[in-house]
Amino acid sequence: MGSTDSHSGEPRALVVSNMLPDGGHPERGRFVRDQVDALRGLGEWEVELFEFAPGAKALLRAARDLRRRFAGEQFDVVHAHFGLTAWATFAVKARARALTLHGTDVRHPRTRLATRAVLPQMRLVAAVSEALLAEIPGRRARARALVLPCGVDMKRFRAMPRTRAWGELDIDHPYLLFPADPDRPEKRYDRAISLANAIGVRLLTLGGIEPERVPLYVNGAQAVIVPSEREGFGLAVLEALACDVPVLATPVGIHSQALEGVSGALCAPFELERWQAVLAPHLAAADPRVQGRAHAEPFSAKHMAEGVAAAWRSLVAEAG
């Protein structure tokens, strides 16, 4: 059975995410929304997005709400983001089911068990990086998995003069940017603050910042500091590169691949003295920049959406 007759002739996809933003975390799930926007922009699929809040209770409510909202409908593809989310999507009829893994769903012990249990029921399993693909539980799941990142919005993230960014942010002092919530231990805020203290520069963070204002913080920074212990992908590095802003990052996720050949950037284990040395010329510059945008372009939301759309086409063809 194909798509329902009440919709256009385009194939239909439902994307489900457990990263509904709220007042405390307006940034949550933006990368999924960017991918949905990019998929819609391709003009090939009719794409719906259903988001719900994190947590076990919200997961149960999501299954109920999905069942009510899409009763009597069938999608060509239902695509979940994060392993736990996939369980709620069984409330919706689908010709094929897909799941993208992002990191915590395979690294947290209990969540990994739930993720592993759902993988055999997913026609398509994907990870957001080659490094994360290697961590997928189960040899069979790893063997058939694809790499399907979300990508960076190249329209939203682009270079602007630092004076403009400072003016809109009402900032009048140099700063380094830690592009994450300091409360997430894997992001290693402790490393970033030790670096900022060692060189006597303020460190700003992106916890709780509206996504529309993030490009201002990136463009206003002397450099973006990403000293993560681990990353599923590494979107913050790409956002800095898209703005031609210097970025220093540890070799996790896609950092090594994205930063290769970018003069003025660094991808290396965190060592205070080495990172200080790389930062020195950027701290002395009035508006420090690197030639980074061309390195971010292959990871654009549009390019990544094209990969997802191709995978969906294959799923529909296999479903017959």
Side-chain angles (χ1 to χ4, degrees):
M1 184 184 298
S3 303
T4 56
D5 295 334
S6 61
H7 296 268
S8 69
E10 297 172 345
R12 298 182 66 212
L14 173 65
V15 175
V16 184
S17 162
N18 67 342
M19 291 171 283
L20 181 70
D22 58 27
H25 295 280
E27 77 287 355
R28 183 189 290 145
R30 181 58 188 256
F31 53 90
V32 174
R33 293 190 290 281
D34 285 345
Q35 183 169 92
V36 168
D37 288 343
L39 284 161
R40 289 169 174 164
L42 296 178
E44 179 183 352
W45 287 78
E46 180 184 338
V47 185
E48 296 220 31
L49 173 64
F50 182 91
E51 297 177 289
F52 62 95
K57 291 183 179 180
L59 183 67
L60 295 174
R61 288 195 299 270
R64 178 198 62 198
D65 293 344
L66 281 164
R67 186 178 297 109
R68 290 175 177 174
R69 178 170 173 180
F70 300 111
E73 297 191 49
Q74 176 173 266
F75 288 86
D76 295 289
V77 176
V78 173
H79 194 138
H81 284 267
F82 283 91
L84 288 177
T85 304
W87 289 103
T89 65
F90 291 115
V92 182
K93 293 180 180 179
R95 295 174 65 193
R97 300 185 185 277
L99 168 62
T100 295
L101 304 171
H102 290 266
T104 55
D105 38 14
V106 298
R107 289 169 177 156
H108 187 281
R110 282 182 296 179
T111 305
R112 182 180 175 88
L113 290 174
T115 297
R116 181 167 192 158
V118 82
L119 292 180
Q121 301 178 71
M122 297 292 112
R123 181 80 58 85
L124 167 65
V125 176
V128 293
S129 67
E130 290 283 355
L132 184 60
L133 187 150
E135 298 182 46
I136 294 176
R139 184 178 58 195
R140 291 183 179 179
R142 285 194 300 273
R144 63 187 177 93
L146 302 178
V147 177
L148 294 175
C150 282
V152 58
D153 185 339
M154 300 294 286
K155 293 180 180 179
R156 194 163 80 252
F157 288 92
R158 56 192 315 115
M160 70 176 69
R162 189 177 69 164
T163 52
R164 175 186 162 189
W166 279 21
E168 294 197 34
L169 293 171
D170 195 24
I171 288 175
D172 61 359
H173 54 78
Y175 64 88
L176 301 176
L177 180 66
F178 177 75
D181 186 338
D183 290 334
R184 296 182 62 184
E186 75 277 9
K187 300 295 185 179
R188 295 305 300 265
Y189 176 72
D190 59 314
R191 291 173 173 173
I193 195 66
S194 69
L195 178 65
N197 288 341
I199 57 182
V201 176
R202 295 188 187 185
L203 180 69
L204 301 186
T205 73
L206 288 184
I209 300 298
E210 290 286 345
E212 290 72 19
R213 292 178 64 79
V214 170
L216 297 173
Y217 283 88
V218 173
N219 275 284
Q222 302 295 117
V224 174
I225 308 300
V226 190
S228 308
E229 191 72 36
R230 59 185 182 274
E231 290 281 352
F233 183 50
L235 193 58
V237 162
L238 298 176
E239 292 169 349
L241 290 177
C243 296
D244 289 329
V245 171
V247 57
L248 288 73
T250 45
V252 295
I254 52 88
H255 293 173
S256 298
Q257 184 180 355
L259 292 171
E260 184 177 3
V262 182
S263 179
L266 176 67
C267 186
F270 183 77
E271 297 175 6
L272 192 58
E273 291 185 0
R274 183 178 182 185
W275 284 46
Q276 281 183 264
V278 173
L279 275 176
H282 301 316
L283 296 173
D287 191 1
R289 299 287 163 168
V290 297
Q291 298 299 311
R293 190 168 178 83
H295 294 261
E297 180 62 40
F299 300 94
S300 71
K302 180 178 183 295
H303 286 164
M304 299 300 100
E306 290 170 347
V308 172
W312 286 355
R313 285 196 300 271
S314 296
L315 287 183
V316 171
E318 292 172 6

